[in-house]
Amino acid sequence: MMEPEHPSDGRPVDMYLDLLRVRMDSDDYRLLLQVVAPALRALDEQPPESMDFSLDPDDTQSLPQEIRDEAALVIATAVTGRLDNKLVELEIDETGPVRVVTDAATASDPDRLAEIASYIRRRHQDTEELRGIAEASGLPTDF
């Protein structure tokens, strides 16, 4: 088994990583640590409220979905300090399924999940509008 890259000091994320180390195959756990290590280092260096976290699709595309899901949950635990985070999949017409991490109460509340889906739709529409403006202006559209 591989030890975490940083010492455990009783933080929820360290406890969660310890649970995953016991539960996961050693190779999968190593892959998970490779994915989350940069985010955990960044969180150690600056407060989470000034950062936006998401897994880079280019870096994680070849990873099994289970590892990507666990990576999202590890980062959420590090940011929120909570162990009750849940990963939910929302069906968004414009983009297809979107996986988001939220607290357990929100994950079980259909109205809140509908609000989150609506927010994601609005963000997608805003992004597409900005992409169209950038394209018409001759600016890069890969944002």
Side-chain angles (χ1 to χ4, degrees):
M1 295 269 168
M2 183 174 173
E3 290 301 315
E5 191 173 293
H6 50 281
S8 177
D9 61 6
R11 298 178 306 175
V13 68
D14 296 322
M15 289 185 281
Y16 191 62
L17 284 169
D18 287 343
L19 290 170
L20 290 175
R21 186 169 30 90
V22 170
R23 193 183 81 189
M24 293 178 78
D25 173 77
S26 295
D27 290 337
D28 288 347
Y29 183 74
R30 260 188 229 102
L31 282 173
L32 173 71
L33 285 181
Q34 289 174 358
V35 171
V36 300
L40 296 179
R41 276 193 301 274
L43 282 166
D44 285 341
E45 294 172 7
Q46 80 183 6
E49 50 278 345
S50 65
M51 303 173 81
D52 183 18
F53 288 100
S54 63
L55 297 176
D56 185 347
D58 294 334
D59 293 342
T60 60
Q61 191 73 20
S62 63
L63 294 176
Q65 187 64 51
E66 178 187 4
I67 293 176
R68 286 186 277 169
D69 290 350
E70 288 298 350
L73 289 166
V74 167
I75 293 168
T77 301
V79 170
T80 65
R82 299 176 61 138
L83 292 167
D84 70 338
N85 297 303
K86 300 287 182 199
L87 192 128
V88 294
E89 187 171 277
L90 302 173
E91 190 60 45
I92 310 295
D93 294 335
E94 296 82 358
T95 64
V98 175
R99 299 169 88 77
V100 296
V101 177
T102 188
D103 62 274
T106 300
S108 64
D109 182 344
D111 292 334
R112 285 290 293 134
L113 292 176
E115 288 176 27
I116 293 169
S118 178
Y119 174 78
I120 292 170
R121 280 186 205 92
R122 280 194 309 274
R123 286 281 306 257
H124 177 73
Q125 290 167 349
D126 291 348
T127 299
E128 289 306 306
E129 187 175 320
L130 289 172
R131 193 178 315 277
I133 292 168
E135 186 176 337
S137 301
L139 298 170
T141 61
D142 60 344
F143 51 86

